[in-house]
Amino acid sequence: MLSRQLVSRPLLLSCHSSSYTHYQQSDHNELCKFGIRRSSSLVDRIKNTAARGKNAYLKFLGRHFPTLYQYQMQVLNGVLDLKRDALIFFQMTKALRTGGKLSTYTRQELLAYQEISQQKIKLVPVVVITALPFSVLFLPLLFAWPGIFLTSHFMSDAQRTSVELNKLEHKLSYCQSVLDDFALKVEKLPSHKRSRKTAEEILDKLEKGLSIRVSEILLIADIFEDRKYRMHNIPYRYRMHLAHCNELRIKNVTRDNQIQFFIDKALAKSTASALTDSELKWTCFKHGANPTVMSRSDQVNYINRWIEFINQVNETHMPLLLHGVVFFGYNHPSNLKMKENLGLKWKRKSHHHERNPNN
């Protein structure tokens, strides 16, 4: 009997020890779960406190400083749009470095990529100022000059319209410089060349304030296929004028023009009537027309004409694409009043006029 008790004691001890270990593990797991619950509840409390503080702060601004409140809300909403576009930009940048093609992306993705790549420098003041204590006090400085300090993410519709009108004035003034450059190129073409005669007729119509048809522009496409019209062969001054007319960076005009080409190609996959009022408005501004004095049907017709043009253009006609804003936009009826206010009326120069300035 004694021997049986002695034999069974180690078994009992081992059972007790295993049970104790099991209880220890259970207690440890419970403590971990309790710790996780406490930490998650702490995070939730911090988030809720921050949200309540933010709401109270915005209510205070809205009640006492409505203008600052409006600026603050534009920044908060703009940050969300910027995050979306920045994510698209970084994803596309990574993909393009590993052999991705611009032609595979949608128009919205290409527009986001274009704005971030061209206007990265404008994002610096917004990011720096919003990170400062009492940043709301500095916002009036940014919103006083939205065209200089802000991207479209942070602008109201009225502010962006004002900025786009200023850009259009800038474009129209440079259109005259592009026409001077183009006329000089035409004068150097062989006199027997058929496209020279058509180019002369186009220049005459532009001088008289008449509009140009797509079919007429396509008749001079071979001029832009010449190696002298390859981007790296176009004189710097001429290239600079084209960049200003198309809102492109002078040092990156070739790359920026390629992005714009695929944006327009993506646009051409549908009709202008499929665009929202807002999309149609900004697209007209981009391509040299003033939508603020145009009906929706006029805007649709203008962009459809641009689509007709882009459908006939390929990557060998990149310089021709850059001239599209000049040929279609300069004499467009929507720009007549603006040109009058700016005193713009293009007159063709000739060697005869240069030799005899009194004529």
Side-chain angles (χ1 to χ4, degrees):
M1 186 70 176
L2 182 62
S3 60
R4 286 183 183 175
Q5 289 177 350
L6 290 173
V7 171
S8 61
R9 186 173 296 175
L11 293 173
L12 290 170
L13 289 172
S14 64
C15 288
H16 285 304
S17 63
S18 63
S19 298
Y20 179 71
T21 304
H22 175 71
Y23 293 144
Q24 268 192 323
Q25 290 175 347
S26 299
D27 291 344
H28 178 70
N29 291 338
E30 289 297 324
L31 285 171
C32 287
K33 289 178 182 178
F34 179 69
I36 291 170
R37 282 198 299 270
R38 286 194 62 184
S39 62
S40 62
S41 63
L42 178 62
V43 170
D44 290 339
R45 284 201 299 272
I46 292 172
K47 285 182 178 179
N48 292 334
T49 303
R52 286 196 297 271
K54 178 182 173 182
N55 290 334
Y57 164 70
L58 292 175
K59 285 181 181 178
F60 173 80
L61 280 182
R63 195 161 46 244
H64 299 285
F65 305 99
T67 303
L68 290 180
Y69 172 78
Q70 181 186 346
Y71 292 159
Q72 184 68 67
M73 292 307 297
Q74 284 181 230
V75 168
L76 293 174
N77 293 329
V79 166
L80 297 177
D81 294 338
L82 177 60
K83 283 181 179 179
R84 179 200 62 213
D85 286 357
L87 179 62
I88 292 171
F89 172 76
F90 288 121
Q91 288 174 340
M92 286 183 64
T93 300
K94 183 178 179 181
L96 293 171
R97 284 176 180 169
T98 56
K101 302 289 185 182
L102 286 170
S103 58
T104 61
Y105 293 96
T106 66
R107 180 171 173 271
Q108 292 302 324
E109 289 171 329
L110 290 166
L111 285 169
Y113 181 79
Q114 181 188 56
E115 180 157 23
I116 298 295
S117 61
Q118 290 184 5
Q119 303 195 42
K120 290 191 290 288
I121 193 67
K122 280 189 176 183
L123 297 173
V124 175
V126 180
V127 172
V128 171
I129 286 179
T130 51
L132 295 173
F134 306 105
S135 61
V136 71
L137 300 177
F138 300 95
L139 294 183
L141 179 66
L142 297 181
F143 283 92
W145 295 282
I148 298 174
F149 294 117
L150 299 176
T151 61
S152 65
H153 307 94
F154 300 97
M155 296 182 198
S156 67
D157 186 80
Q159 288 166 339
R160 186 174 178 184
T161 299
S162 176
V163 169
E164 292 296 338
L165 285 170
N166 289 334
K167 285 183 184 178
L168 186 57
E169 290 181 355
H170 186 77
K171 284 181 187 180
L172 291 175
S173 63
Y174 273 97
C175 280
Q176 300 205 148
S177 300
V178 170
L179 287 172
D180 289 337
D181 297 330
F182 179 64
L184 190 60
K185 281 280 186 183
V186 170
E187 286 183 1
K188 295 178 181 178
L189 293 173
S191 57
H192 65 273
K193 197 169 184 178
R194 183 180 177 183
S195 54
R196 171 171 177 166
K197 182 182 178 182
T198 306
E200 297 273 7
E201 292 170 354
I202 287 173
L203 289 169
D204 288 342
K205 290 181 75 172
L206 288 168
E207 188 173 7
K208 293 174 183 176
L210 302 175
S211 298
I212 310 299
R213 295 192 302 271
V214 174
S215 57
E216 292 174 299
I217 296 175
L218 296 177
L219 290 175
I220 63 170
D222 65 309
I223 296 176
F224 297 91
E225 293 172 359
D226 189 277
R227 64 180 181 82
K228 292 180 181 178
Y229 253 112
R230 289 176 186 167
M231 292 304 298
H232 59 277
N233 289 332
I234 298 176
Y236 176 80
R237 189 177 179 83
Y238 193 171
R239 202 161 64 244
M240 179 187 71
H241 296 155
L242 288 168
H244 281 290
C245 283
N246 290 273
E247 301 177 38
L248 308 179
R249 296 170 295 178
I250 297 170
K251 292 183 179 180
N252 301 86
V253 65
T254 302
R255 177 62 172 171
D256 288 350
N257 188 36
Q258 187 181 35
I259 296 169
Q260 186 59 49
F261 170 76
F262 285 109
I263 290 173
D264 288 338
K265 282 293 185 184
L267 173 65
K269 291 177 181 177
S270 62
T271 61
S273 58
L275 299 174
T276 65
D277 289 347
S278 179
E279 290 171 336
L280 193 58
K281 182 179 181 180
W282 309 133
T283 305
C284 283
F285 271 127
K286 179 68 178 179
H287 293 98
N290 182 0
T292 63
V293 294
M294 300 166 68
S295 65
R296 177 176 171 85
S297 61
D298 289 339
Q299 294 176 41
V300 167
N301 290 337
Y302 183 76
I303 297 305
N304 279 337
R305 186 162 60 143
W306 188 271
I307 289 173
E308 181 188 353
F309 170 59
I310 201 68
N311 279 331
Q312 304 298 320
V313 173
N314 55 45
E315 290 186 67
T316 62
H317 299 118
M318 288 296 193
L320 175 58
L321 178 64
L322 288 172
H323 288 73
V325 169
V326 182
F327 293 148
F328 292 127
Y330 182 72
N331 279 343
H332 192 268
S334 66
N335 292 326
L336 293 181
K337 187 66 176 178
M338 184 178 287
K339 285 168 60 180
E340 287 178 10
N341 294 337
L342 296 172
L344 298 177
K345 185 173 176 58
W346 182 70
K347 290 291 183 183
R348 187 172 179 184
K349 298 174 183 177
S350 68
H351 294 304
H352 175 73
H353 288 150
E354 289 172 4
R355 287 194 299 267
N356 302 284
N358 293 327
N359 287 356

